[in-house]
């Protein structure tokens, strides 16, 4: 991806495909929740039962964990840890890297076998990689998406809200 | 890299507070969290040592509501400033859209400021971004300290790039929101 690119635009069609892929993943594994993050920790799409209030903080922490494990990998002269598994008493979380740029995670409980999660996550990562490649390739301009007056409105909002 | 989700009509930007240990990064976020309207702020999440030094990061999500139909969110992070945590800073900096470099104005901290800024330049460059073009705002914090260096001296050593810079006393909030406004505007201008 062009590192100088300053924003990534996820079009509606691709967002729908990602949603579908995640909801299949949740259904087929019997998991509770699936999330797709970008590497900065922002949640692109989440699917699962109920609304989790903590989803934003969860995204930040998972991306932080992944980024820090990547630094650990470098110190061990590994290229990367492609997957992380964290085991809790009630819930487990499985995290996989997609194309160095995205993070897929599945939250599941005791009823689901980790082996199944691994296999289905692998399948989902391949699918998502293809969708995300299309997201990367699309060339809509910011103005097309946000409208040309977005910036001034945004500046007004910043001045209005960022004060003591 | 900012994320624009067309279907959900959402925009996310990541802003990182960087700088040497004890310069006041966490204090900036705490002040923002205390002062900003409750509809705007989320919970402040801090991963710190027992002595309140940042171990991993602080995280504060701000929700600006709908702007031209787009739900807009800024995610603020701080890095741990202690030298020991160099690799952790790399991890937190990952994918950021802009940086507030917080410098400690005290005379005996000048060298640490210079080192930390150099490290930031290196880390931004390692992420394949051009440091010259990367959105940065400077904050000279702890202006209340009796041993604070004159601003002109700090400029000479830290602001060769002519970034926007603000004088601040993060503990009482002086300059904190001015800094936040500057970096937010800068990030938005690069979307
Ligand atoms: N006098 C004075 N003290 C300040 C100011 N800003 C922060 N401090 C104090 O400096 C100390 C360190 O502040 P922190 O915000 O924890 O520093 P930090 O940059 O997050 O430090 P690390 O997490 O170790 O990187 C605290 O005791 C703050 O109260 C300021 O403007 N003036
Ligand atoms: Mg701190």
């Amino acid at each position: 991806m062009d590192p100088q690119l300053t924003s990534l635009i996820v079009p509606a069609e691709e967002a729908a495909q990602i949603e579908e892929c995640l909801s299949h993943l949740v259904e087929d594994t019997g998991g509770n929740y699936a999330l797709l993050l970008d590497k900065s920790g922002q949640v692109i799409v989440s699917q699962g039962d109920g609304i989790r209030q903590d989803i934003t903080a969860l995204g930040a922490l998972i991306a932080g964990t992944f980024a820090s494990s990547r630094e650990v990998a470098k110190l061990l002269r590994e290229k990367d840890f492609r997957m992380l598994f964290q085991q809790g008493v009630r819930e487990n979380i499985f995290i996989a890297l997609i194309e160095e740029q995205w993070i897929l995670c599945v939250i599941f409980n005791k009823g689901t076998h980790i082996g199944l999660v691994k296999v289905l996550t692998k399948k989902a990562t391949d699918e998502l990689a293809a969708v995300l490649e299309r997201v990367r390739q699309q060339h809509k301009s910011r103005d097309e998406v946000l409208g040309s007056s977005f910036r001034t409105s945004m500046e007004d909002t910043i001045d209005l809200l960022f004060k003591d | 890299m900012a994320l624009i989700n067309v279907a959900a009509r959402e925009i996310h930007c990541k802003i990182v507070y960087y700088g040497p240990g004890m310069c006041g990064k966490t204090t900036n976020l705490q002040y923002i969290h205390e002062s900003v309207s409750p509809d705007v702020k989320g919970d402040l999440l801090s991963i710190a040592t027992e002595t309140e030094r940042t171990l991993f990061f602080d995280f504060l999500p701000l929700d600006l509501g709908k702007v031209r139909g787009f739900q807009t969110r800024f995610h603020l992070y701080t890095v741990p400033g202690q030298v020991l945590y160099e690799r952790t800073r790399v991890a937190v900096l990952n994918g950021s859209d802009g940086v507030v470099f917080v410098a400690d104005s005290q005379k005996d901290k000048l060298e640490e400021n210079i080192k930390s800024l150099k490290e930031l330049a290196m880390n931004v460059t390692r992420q394949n971004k051009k440091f010259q073009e990367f959105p940065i705002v400077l904050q000279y914090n702890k202006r209340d300290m009796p041993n604070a260096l004159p601003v002109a001296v700090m400029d000479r050593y830290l602001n060769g790039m002519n970034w926007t810079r603000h004088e601040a006393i993060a503990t009482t909030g002086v300059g904190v929101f001015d800094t936040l406004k500057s970096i937010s505007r800068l990030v938005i201008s690069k979307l």
Side-chain angles (χ1 to χ4, degrees):
Chain A
M1 178 172 318
D2 174 7
Q4 308 309 327
L5 199 71
T6 52
S7 49
L8 180 82
I9 300 169
V10 185
E13 193 181 323
E14 275 75 17
Q17 289 165 353
I18 296 169
E19 267 175 28
E20 196 184 313
C21 178
L22 294 194
S23 70
H24 281 159
L25 185 59
V26 172
E27 250 170 62
D28 299 348
T29 56
N32 303 333
Y33 227 83
L35 296 171
L36 181 73
L37 314 171
D38 84 337
K39 67 173 179 188
S40 73
Q42 285 147 0
V43 179
I44 300 173
V45 169
S46 65
Q47 286 287 299
D49 27 279
I51 296 166
R52 289 187 86 118
Q53 292 299 329
D54 51 3
I55 205 95
T56 309
L58 198 62
L61 284 169
I62 290 171
T65 314
F66 219 107
S68 98
S69 85
R70 177 183 302 144
E71 294 305 312
V72 172
K74 275 188 201 150
L75 295 180
L76 299 180
R77 301 198 181 152
E78 278 290 331
K79 185 169 170 287
D80 229 324
F81 295 129
R82 317 272 332 160
M83 294 171 216
L84 288 179
F85 174 51
Q86 297 186 323
Q87 190 166 27
V89 178
R90 284 181 305 112
E91 282 188 312
N92 305 313
I93 181 159
F94 185 78
I95 312 172
L97 188 64
I98 309 174
E99 307 276 306
E100 320 299 326
Q101 190 67 43
W102 325 89
I103 299 165
L104 172 63
C105 45
V106 187
I107 301 173
F108 57 100
N109 58 26
K110 285 270 164 289
T112 298
H113 194 270
I114 172 74
L116 180 66
V117 176
K118 260 191 189 167
V119 172
L120 296 186
T121 302
K122 174 75 180 71
K123 189 168 160 281
T125 20
D126 295 343
E127 252 175 74
L128 288 171
V131 178
L132 291 167
E133 183 55 33
R134 286 201 293 282
V135 171
R136 265 198 259 211
Q137 295 298 335
Q138 58 104 24
H139 293 292
K140 273 212 175 98
S141 75
R142 183 207 52 169
D143 280 357
E144 244 175 278
V145 176
L146 296 177
S148 52
S149 52
F150 178 79
R151 191 164 141 193
T152 28
S153 304
M154 192 64 221
E155 286 178 347
D156 294 344
T157 309
I158 287 169
D159 289 342
L160 189 73
L161 296 179
F162 288 173
K163 59 168 196 253
D164 344 35
Chain B
M1 189 181 47
L3 184 76
I4 303 174
N5 188 331
V6 177
R9 300 191 75 74
E10 283 179 354
I11 298 176
H12 295 272
C13 303
K14 174 173 177 176
I15 294 171
V16 175
Y17 284 66
Y18 204 99
M22 300 287 264
C23 66
K25 302 174 291 296
T26 299
T27 311
N28 264 273
L29 258 62
Q30 285 168 340
Y31 186 81
I32 295 166
H33 183 247
E34 278 160 25
S35 318
V36 87
S37 142
D39 336 323
V40 173
K41 68 185 171 194
D43 290 335
L44 175 62
L45 173 74
S46 291
I47 304 180
T49 65
E50 279 168 13
T51 54
E52 305 278 299
R53 305 292 302 271
T54 303
L55 174 64
F56 197 169
F57 56 66
D58 304 292
F59 171 67
L60 177 62
L62 297 176
D63 188 341
L64 279 75
K66 280 210 166 69
V67 179
R68 299 261 153 187
F70 277 83
Q71 195 75 30
T72 309
R73 299 205 171 89
F74 282 86
H75 289 177
L76 310 185
Y77 289 76
T78 73
V79 298
Q82 295 182 72
V83 176
L84 170 68
Y85 301 133
E86 213 253 274
R87 298 277 95 196
T88 314
R89 285 191 283 285
V90 174
V92 177
L93 197 61
N94 218 319
S96 63
D97 298 304
V99 164
V100 172
F101 184 84
V102 181
D104 191 326
S105 297
Q106 298 180 88
K107 201 172 174 190
D108 54 332
K109 298 287 178 167
L110 182 62
E111 193 188 342
E112 276 183 58
N113 292 328
I114 295 171
K115 277 192 182 148
S116 175
L117 188 57
K118 262 200 182 146
E119 184 198 88
L120 172 64
M122 192 181 70
N123 288 337
V124 168
T125 311
R126 275 201 191 140
Q127 292 183 18
N128 296 320
K129 290 184 173 149
K130 295 197 181 92
F131 188 62
Q132 275 80 2
E133 290 165 20
F134 193 73
I136 291 181
V137 166
L138 266 184
Q139 182 186 76
Y140 296 163
N141 190 32
K142 304 202 183 181
R143 295 310 298 167
D144 59 321
M145 294 300 278
N147 58 342
L149 280 173
V151 168
V153 175
M154 295 187 71
D155 276 343
R156 200 174 317 135
Y157 290 97
L158 301 172
N159 203 9
M161 310 262 286
N162 243 321
W163 293 307
T164 304
R165 66 99 169 110
H166 297 280
E167 296 179 50
I169 307 169
T171 33
T172 58
V174 176
V176 168
F177 278 97
D178 290 339
T179 309
L180 177 61
K181 272 187 215 170
S182 290
I183 190 65
S184 309
R185 281 166 162 265
L186 191 57
V187 164
I188 287 299
S189 75
K190 304 252 167 143
L191 266 190

